[in-house]
Amino acid sequence: MIRPLPKIGMRIVKSAVAVFLCFVIYMIRGRGVPFYSAIAAVLCMQPYVSNSVRVALNRTVGTFIGGVFGMLALLVEKAFFPPDQPIWQYLLVSVCIIPLIYVTLLAKQPTASYITCVVFMSITVSHGADVNPYLFALDRCIDTLIGIAVSLCVNLFRLPRRKNRHLLFVLSLDSLAGEDGHISSYTRIKLNQLISRGARIAVAAPQPPAYFLPLLEEIGLKLPVITLEGAALYDTGKREYTSCRELEEEDSRMATNLLEQENAALFRYAVIHHVLHVYYGELTNPAAEELYHASRGSPHQYYVCGPLPQRHRPLLILAADTRERVAVLAQKMEALPCAPRLRIRQRPDPRHMGYAFLEVYSAQATVEHAVEELCRLAPAENAVCFGLSPDEESPVGDALARAVEKEFFRRRQKENLQ
């Protein structure tokens, strides 16, 4: 399959604009070397404005250190080294790299080492023999600082656009990930930019935190993740569950007794001290074994062989068996007196043909109820959901990020709660 070429993003466009502005400033100034301004502008352009500010400060510190060292090196060269023997100049420049990088480490600016060396060598290597060392060093520093300032201003510039701050965007994790199961860099950057501009974005993941935390670790979500099909809300920043919709004690007992009588491979999910515990019994089939081994080593999900403690209630009761057996178990579960208070769901096992899972939640544990709770937390008047319905045609991956951005900046809001 041939993948489409990546699109030209705003960082590329902004870099070109910043370089052009550096040349314009050079024409207005009538002095300096625009090359150094343009290089600094490209180096400082970052995907996020917060990163650009940090990088700009970092580059400014490096520019001053490199400028001071460069001026001193020129003074030493003019005072002690003959102009017709450049080997001594090159030796001096090379030796100065050691204290130069060391000073950036002492200043706790290790990432400034690169720009420090660039400024230093632009002064010491490309100077003219008849140039005043003070003036030459000052010009190179000004050239670099111009590029840093231009890059920062271009990245901070935003066209005024009306934003739909009253909307809550709920995105399916499966829709965010591409065909390879990973979230692209473009999608992460775009979502972080939207969140920093005030967009209320939440993610719905049917899987527990052990699965979705590695995928979402570089996305600065401010709202909890809807997990376990709406049975819980999980705060990725605090690493804790903010809401749980557990099964009633009597309902849990009746459902568990039925599955144990049928000798089904049984798993019970319960949140204890903000950690998901999975209590399991005998692993009687490949589907149950795979479910156990897939995430048993995760620090976000503990497996315990034994019954669920009486003082705790489960979020989810899950049974793994053949599809035929799961269908029979579902019929028997729906015949229980507590069935109206349960949400019973059958799901095929994608890894083992012929096997399936039976999931039993509280009837109140739904994505719809979780979205309503997030609307109150956000707060938001309406919700726009992507990919939460299996019958819904939703954009995937990068296209989803662009769709959210478009909806966020639309002038007309959707009046219906999707």
Side-chain angles (χ1 to χ4, degrees):
M1 180 179 177
I2 300 177
R3 293 186 177 181
L5 294 175
K7 295 182 178 295
I8 297 177
M10 284 305 298
R11 182 183 180 185
I12 300 175
V13 175
K14 288 181 178 180
S15 298
V17 171
V19 169
F20 176 73
L21 291 177
C22 289
F23 289 128
V24 171
I25 293 174
Y26 161 72
M27 294 174 63
I28 296 174
R29 284 183 66 208
R31 63 178 301 165
V33 181
F35 169 78
Y36 301 110
S37 299
I39 288 296
V42 173
L43 289 175
C44 288
M45 190 62 65
Q46 298 293 314
Y48 308 124
V49 174
S50 59
N51 286 1
S52 292
V53 174
R54 184 174 64 253
V55 171
L57 293 175
N58 180 280
R59 298 289 191 263
T60 301
V61 172
T63 299
F64 280 113
I65 295 175
V68 171
F69 267 77
M71 181 188 67
L72 295 176
L74 284 182
L75 290 175
V76 171
E77 179 186 339
K78 284 183 173 292
F80 300 104
F81 296 157
D84 56 343
Q85 297 182 11
I87 186 63
W88 299 109
Q89 174 205 357
Y90 299 149
L91 179 61
L92 174 65
V93 171
S94 302
V95 171
C96 284
I97 294 296
I98 297 174
L100 199 63
I101 297 178
Y102 188 68
V103 168
T104 61
L105 297 178
L106 292 179
K108 297 182 179 180
Q109 298 288 344
T111 55
S113 300
Y114 176 77
I115 194 67
T116 302
C117 295
V118 168
V119 173
F120 171 75
M121 287 187 284
S122 71
I123 294 172
T124 56
V125 177
S126 59
H127 68 90
D130 57 344
V131 177
N132 184 311
Y134 296 101
L135 184 59
F136 190 87
L138 181 62
D139 281 341
R140 293 295 77 75
C141 289
I142 292 176
D143 291 335
T144 304
L145 291 174
I146 287 174
I148 294 172
V150 168
S151 179
L152 183 59
C153 290
V154 170
N155 215 11
L156 287 172
F157 178 76
R158 292 285 184 273
L159 290 173
R161 289 192 285 178
R162 186 176 177 181
K163 303 170 183 177
N164 284 332
R165 297 182 183 274
H166 55 273
L167 287 177
L168 169 67
F169 298 93
V170 185
L171 317 179
S172 165
L173 182 62
D174 294 336
S175 297
L176 279 177
E179 295 181 356
D180 58 355
H182 295 85
I183 300 176
S184 71
S185 298
Y186 174 88
T187 299
R188 290 197 302 269
I189 292 172
K190 185 59 64 178
L191 292 181
N192 283 330
Q193 289 175 342
L194 290 171
I195 292 171
S196 67
R197 297 177 193 176
R200 294 168 169 83
I201 296 177
V203 173
Q207 307 87 348
Y211 174 82
F212 65 72
L213 280 176
L215 294 176
L216 300 176
E217 61 181 354
E218 295 183 16
I219 300 177
L221 293 173
K222 296 181 180 180
L223 291 172
V225 174
I226 300 174
T227 182
L228 293 175
E229 297 290 343
L233 296 178
Y234 185 83
D235 190 318
T236 58
K238 297 180 180 179
R239 293 293 198 266
E240 64 182 31
Y241 290 85
T242 61
S243 175
C244 294
R245 297 178 185 270
E246 300 164 326
L247 288 156
E248 294 296 332
E249 184 175 353
E250 181 63 18
D251 299 343
S252 171
R253 184 187 62 79
M254 294 179 65
T256 299
N257 288 342
L258 170 64
L259 296 174
E260 287 179 341
Q261 290 171 6
E262 297 292 334
N263 295 320
L266 187 59
F267 298 83
R268 281 159 289 185
Y269 293 72
V271 174
I272 302 175
H273 301 303
H274 294 290
V275 177
L276 186 64
H277 289 66
V278 183
Y279 294 85
Y280 67 99
E282 186 178 358
L283 306 177
T284 57
N285 56 69
E289 292 179 357
E290 177 72 20
L291 183 65
Y292 167 73
H293 290 289
S295 56
R296 68 183 181 90
S298 171
H300 309 291
Q301 187 167 314
Y302 291 161
Y303 278 82
V304 181
C305 184
L308 177 69
Q310 291 185 357
R311 65 182 183 276
H312 296 292
R313 293 183 295 160
L315 293 169
L316 163 65
I317 298 176
L318 183 146
D321 214 315
T322 63
R323 290 191 179 185
E324 293 77 9
R325 284 271 297 157
V326 165
V328 172
L329 292 174
Q331 291 179 354
K332 293 185 177 182
M333 190 71 67
E334 291 169 355
L336 292 176
C338 63
R341 299 189 295 273
L342 304 178
R343 183 162 67 90
I344 303 167
R345 181 172 179 265
Q346 299 180 57
R347 177 169 58 88
D349 183 357
R351 294 185 178 88
H352 298 89
M353 185 176 298
Y355 284 88
F357 300 110
L358 176 67
E359 299 175 342
V360 181
Y361 299 92
S362 166
Q364 299 300 314
T366 64
V367 175
E368 290 76 13
H369 287 150
V371 170
E372 291 175 359
E373 186 172 351
L374 286 179
C375 283
R376 292 190 294 270
L377 290 174
E381 298 176 8
N382 296 312
V384 178
C385 303
F386 294 90
L388 298 187
S389 172
D391 300 326
E392 176 187 2
E393 291 187 5
S394 175
V396 178
D398 296 353
L400 177 58
R402 289 191 290 270
V404 173
E405 181 181 39
K406 180 179 179 181
E407 190 71 24
F408 179 56
F409 288 115
R410 281 184 59 181
R411 290 185 176 273
R412 293 183 180 178
Q413 66 179 10
K414 290 187 177 181
E415 297 295 337
N416 59 313
L417 176 62
Q418 295 189 2

